[in-house]
Amino acid sequence: MEGRDVLISGVVTDMPQRNEAGLRFTLAVDSATLDGEPVQVPPRVDVGWYAGVYSVGGEQVALQRQPGDLRAGERWRMTVRLRAPHGSRNPHGFDYELWLWERGVQASAYVRAGSADPEPQRLEQTWTHPVALLRQSVRERIYAHVEQRQFAGLIAALVVGDQNAIDRVDWDVFRATGVAHLVSISGLHITMFAWGAAWLVAWLWRRSGRLCLLLPAVDAALLGGVLLATAYSLFSGWGIPAQRTCLMLATVALLRLSGARWPWPQVWMLACAVVVAVDPWALLQAGFWLSFVAVGVLFATDAGVARPVAGLARGTVSRLAAMLREQWVVTVALAPLTLLLFGQVSIVGLAANALAIPWVTLVVTPLAMAGVAVPWLWDLAGGAIAVLMQFLQWLAAWPWATLTLATAPWWLAASGVLGGVLLVARLPLYMRFLGLPLLLPVLLWQAPLPPVGEFELLAADIGQGNAVLVRTATHALLYDAGPRYSLESDAGHRVLLPLLQVLHTRLDLLLLSHRDTDHVGGAPAVLAMQPQAKLLSSIAMDDRLQSLRKSQHCVAGQHWEWDGVQFSILHPQAADYESPHPPNALSCVLRILSTGARSQTALLVGDIERVQEELLVAAQAPLKADVLLVPHHGSKTSSSEAFLAAVQPREAWVQSGYRNRYGHPVAAVMQRYQERGIVVHDSPHCGAMTWRSDSPSQTLCDRSVEMHYWSHHVP
Ligand SMILES: [Zn+2]
């Protein structure tokens, strides 16, 4: 049914997310019909309802119907176009297909809302999702009350667990200072909330002698703490970290109530076993391992989590001191693991967390929560956030704010994690210092790079566009920077920067073939994070990108050598810049030649079309190549017979989006490649593609390296 228009009716399960492109929501489907016949579709579908101009055959005819005012629990009937759950696949990248699988979503769709389509209909309000509806109305009240959008987004994140309105710039600051966990409803959050709730319940319980006779205050506090924390987790969206924390807290609390006094390793293992039994995919999530190790460290160092209630009698000051100590212990012990999972650890994180955790958990969150009852407290919460942001921005500006390292293999990382745990364990000091040498392998690890004379190509899976990373022994070049997805997101921010980070790559050169947005969309983000990179391109001298980095024109004849690998530009000619040309015609064509044992050539050609191909052939340019980046994503305007006869590639790569609207690569064009016996790989089937000139026989597909049962099998 993919690509067909299906009439479905179903209930909106959660509060919809609105962004500049439109509305996104999840629908629990009750019925579906295709051409009047009932059909079966996946029970949960992620639906997008986009605003904007409606186009028919490339002609913009009428404004598309604007998204309606959807509320959680409403039943709607609408015509949608279904799509299999397909995400981009990159080395160590985010697995979108797993994320959907965990949420039970097995299709995505968008609403057909053109003027010719039947209008989406609201059928009724059901009461099947009361918590989501309540969250939605609280979120609306926050936005109505708090004028500054930045603060409103953060308050909504803390109260109803909706992080979508947090600015990208703010996220960068949070990540750089290692406090991103504070604005999501994390395990730490829920645990803190449970502590506070337990303390309050115990305090109230002790007021009544009769209640204490009925149930000891300590037990009441345990029960109350867990129940209230669960209620808070539900209200904040019942996210996966919150679910795990509630399960862990409940397990520990039940053990205590049953009177069992198990040694801590057993308690720890039981809590984690319960989590994995309920959600087996937790094992694949970085967050699970972080909290698993964090809880273990807290147990091992005999800190508070092991006895959430025992410390109730202690004074506030000693409780705060203990909390700070725990924070310090967890941060140190988790640093190697964070580095392993995210390739980045915040050096200033300790300072940032030492102040931000108490500030957010003791001041901002209580104010934000109390604002639900007394809205003007949200203004105070906004003020408290402003103070925090000032402090964090100041910290993030430090030159050594974050340490990034290449992602090491797991056995090195395991040694690092052990080292971190040893450093904070309750052992004699000289034994703790044994943790230091265990940390060294992770810190000194270098990702494998091609030897001198050889090069590596990595075509990132960025959807419809081009982005190919070329690395030699000590240099790196990025050929194009992928598309822009929306106002807020692009391939640079979403795919290329994380990729450069896990590979620990500093770019010497960003080469932008031409100015089309599927090639330069990610460029601003890449330029911002790679200040040393030079820019070579065919973009005009007055292009917006020139203000970010001065660009030099690519001109045929330019050539350079890096580590025994030769790079040369074959197109465009200097004269081409003197008369107006369509952007595609100016695409920079790059030839790369290895000088190792088997000399291998790659040809990256951007979006050149038949005319440019024929000019190159006529000029007898050195086109022959082993690997060719298929021109213009396999469009019918390119890959002419004469060009293919001149290049004679062994392998050809198509970088295109899954079911992209241009129909790239065109079947007739692919036929030309097949007739010549050329092996073709495309990004929808292959994910990221990797190839090295010193083992040139095959392209490595990221999708086939790790094919899982939740992965989309592209037909
Ligand atoms: Zn293009």
Side-chain angles (χ1 to χ4, degrees):
M1 274 175 283
E2 190 167 37
R4 307 282 300 275
D5 288 351
V6 180
L7 182 68
I8 59 175
S9 86
V11 176
V12 181
T13 60
D14 207 342
M15 47 181 195
Q17 299 297 342
R18 195 176 277 276
N19 63 19
E20 95 280 354
L23 209 57
R24 290 210 65 87
F25 52 93
T26 308
L27 211 60
V29 181
D30 336 295
S31 68
T33 53
L34 176 66
D35 303 329
E37 293 292 315
V39 285
Q40 187 127 30
V41 300
R44 283 167 75 86
V45 179
D46 263 5
V47 186
W49 187 346
Y50 303 111
V53 178
Y54 179 54
S55 81
V56 175
E59 202 176 312
Q60 296 177 343
V61 283
L63 256 188
Q64 187 157 312
R65 219 171 267 120
Q66 297 298 308
D69 178 28
L70 262 76
R71 304 192 70 81
E74 282 179 348
R75 177 170 282 119
W76 278 73
R77 185 190 295 135
M78 49 183 67
T79 306
V80 298
R81 186 160 285 191
L82 290 171
R83 198 178 122 121
H86 184 93
S88 63
R89 279 287 295 268
N90 288 287
H92 306 284
F94 175 66
D95 191 343
Y96 175 70
E97 290 157 23
L98 172 62
W99 182 73
L100 289 177
W101 175 272
E102 274 201 289
R103 294 170 51 229
V105 173
Q106 288 181 41
S108 61
Y110 66 91
V111 178
R112 300 288 284 163
S115 43
D117 299 304
E119 194 167 354
Q121 269 184 300
R122 177 188 284 111
L123 300 177
E124 59 172 334
Q125 171 75 56
T126 70
W127 295 100
T128 45
H129 298 88
V131 180
L133 191 59
L134 188 63
R135 292 172 64 214
Q136 190 175 357
S137 68
V138 169
R139 183 180 69 178
E140 276 162 12
R141 279 170 52 207
I142 293 172
Y143 285 132
H145 185 88
V146 183
E147 272 167 27
Q148 244 182 307
R149 185 118 187 112
Q150 183 197 9
F151 299 154
L154 283 165
I155 292 173
L158 290 172
V159 179
V160 295
D162 172 24
Q163 302 165 32
N164 287 277
I166 298 178
D167 278 352
R168 202 169 96 172
V169 191
D170 287 347
W171 271 126
D172 290 342
V173 171
F174 293 145
R175 288 209 187 92
T177 51
V179 300
H181 62 98
L182 279 180
V183 285
S184 51
I185 306 293
S186 63
L188 179 81
H189 237 88
I190 305 289
T191 312
M192 290 293 215
F193 186 92
W195 278 5
W199 180 84
L200 192 70
V201 169
W203 186 79
L204 289 171
W205 206 264
R206 291 210 175 90
R207 306 291 105 184
S208 155
R210 283 174 63 189
L211 280 180
C212 283
L213 282 176
L214 211 65
L215 187 72
V218 180
D219 289 357
L222 256 182
L223 274 176
V226 172
L227 287 178
L228 287 170
T230 307
Y232 173 53
S233 304
L234 274 173
F235 188 66
S236 65
W238 202 232
I240 286 164
Q243 291 178 28
R244 281 182 207 141
T245 314
C246 285
L247 275 173
M248 285 195 179
L249 287 174
T251 310
V252 174
L254 281 177
L255 261 186
R256 291 206 155 256
L257 287 178
S258 74
R261 290 289 177 269
W262 289 13
W264 69 262
Q266 270 95 323
V267 181
W268 180 40
M269 289 296 167
L270 178 69
C272 294
V274 169
V275 170
V276 174
V278 172
D279 172 22
W281 298 287
L283 291 172
L284 301 160
Q285 306 273 339
F288 169 76
W289 291 102
L290 278 177
S291 44
F292 176 71
V293 173
V295 172
V297 166
L298 288 178
F299 271 126
T301 56
D302 193 28
V305 165
R307 42 190 168 76
V309 195
L312 285 177
R314 280 188 284 162
T316 316
V317 176
S318 71
R319 281 175 63 82
L320 275 179
M323 199 180 87
L324 285 179
R325 184 177 163 273
E326 278 149 24
Q327 173 53 34
W328 148 254
V329 161
V330 168
T331 310
V332 171
L334 289 192
L337 187 60
T338 314
L339 205 52
L340 156 72
L341 295 169
F342 302 107
Q344 172 177 347
V345 71
S346 168
I347 305 280
V348 300
L350 200 60
N353 275 301
L355 288 165
I357 290 183
W359 188 250
V360 171
T361 43
L362 301 177
V363 180
V364 181
T365 310
L367 283 174
M369 302 278 291
V372 177
V374 191
W376 60 265
L377 288 175
W378 279 331
D379 298 327
L380 285 185
I385 290 172
V387 173
L388 179 71
M389 289 311 293
Q390 285 285 324
F391 170 66
L392 293 178
Q393 271 156 6
W394 173 72
L395 277 181
W398 285 14
W400 290 96
T402 52
L403 170 69
T404 58
L405 284 179
T407 303
W410 69 268
W411 44 277
L412 282 186
S415 121
V417 173
L418 191 65
V421 172
L422 215 58
L423 271 181
V424 296
R426 297 184 77 203
L427 290 169
L429 202 60
Y430 70 93
M431 285 185 73
R432 286 161 63 169
F433 275 112
L434 288 178
L436 282 178
L438 284 172
L439 287 175
L440 286 178
V442 184
L443 293 173
L444 299 178
W445 163 256
Q446 300 257 314
L449 279 164
V452 169
E454 308 288 352
F455 67 97
E456 180 200 73
L457 297 178
L458 197 170
D461 187 4
I462 36 80
Q464 181 72 14
N466 277 156
V468 182
L469 180 64
V470 186
R471 299 197 297 167
T472 66
T474 64
H475 290 85
L477 172 158
L478 183 62
Y479 182 88
D480 281 341
R484 172 164 280 283
Y485 305 121
S486 68
L487 270 183
E488 278 286 296
S489 90
D490 57 65
H493 210 261
R494 244 206 258 155
V495 178
L496 299 172
L497 290 180
L499 185 67
L500 291 171
Q501 190 186 306
V502 296
L503 299 173
H504 202 45
T505 297
R506 277 164 57 89
L507 294 178
D508 297 276
L509 182 67
L510 175 61
L511 203 170
L512 298 174
S513 65
H514 63 296
R515 65 150 204 249
D516 281 357
T517 148
D518 56 326
H519 299 255
V520 304
V526 171
L527 289 173
M529 293 300 281
Q530 299 272 340
Q532 75 291 339
K534 295 213 163 35
L535 183 59
L536 186 66
S537 75
S538 63
I539 58 172
M541 283 306 160
D542 57 354
D543 195 281
R544 194 177 53 86
L545 280 169
Q546 296 275 6
S547 62
L548 301 175
R549 188 90 21 106
K550 241 4 262 123
S551 168
Q552 211 194 334
H553 272 158
C554 58
V555 179
Q558 285 167 337
H559 60 93
W560 66 94
E561 188 176 310
W562 283 344
D563 310 311
V565 177
Q566 289 165 9
F567 294 79
S568 49
I569 302 286
L570 306 184
H571 181 81
Q573 302 294 324
D576 293 340
Y577 287 105
E578 282 153 26
S579 53
H581 278 82
N584 285 354
L586 285 178
S587 291
C588 309
V589 173
L590 176 68
R591 175 178 185 260
I592 312 164
L593 172 66
S594 75
T595 57
R598 280 176 286 185
S599 115
Q600 294 282 317
T601 315
L603 195 62
L604 309 179
V605 297
D607 284 355
I608 56 166
E609 298 187 353
R610 175 179 290 272
V611 179
Q612 291 79 45
E613 291 177 354
E614 281 164 2
L615 282 174
L616 280 166
V617 173
Q620 295 189 323
L623 293 174
K624 187 159 179 347
D626 299 282
V627 179
L628 169 72
L629 183 66
V630 170
H632 203 172
H633 324 284
S635 147
K636 62 176 185 294
T637 56
S638 310
S639 302
S640 54
E641 295 282 357
F643 182 70
L644 290 188
V647 181
Q648 297 176 22
R650 198 174 58 244
E651 296 212 17
W653 291 1
V654 183
Q655 274 190 309
S656 62
Y658 175 65
R659 295 184 69 88
N660 64 78
R661 60 192 162 122
Y662 311 100
H664 292 164
V666 175
V669 174
M670 289 300 102
Q671 181 91 32
R672 272 177 233 160
Y673 283 84
Q674 268 137 28
E675 278 164 7
R676 293 172 179 274
I678 303 165
V679 181
V680 180
H681 292 288
D682 62 42
S683 32
H685 288 90
C686 192
M689 300 172 251
T690 315
W691 174 89
R692 269 175 64 159
S693 62
D694 53 347
S695 56
S697 56
Q698 60 170 336
T699 293
L700 205 69
C701 284
D702 210 63
R703 265 185 190 276
S704 43
V705 174
E706 277 188 67
M707 196 67 191
H708 303 289
Y709 55 90
W710 61 81
S711 304
H712 177 213
H713 293 249
V714 182

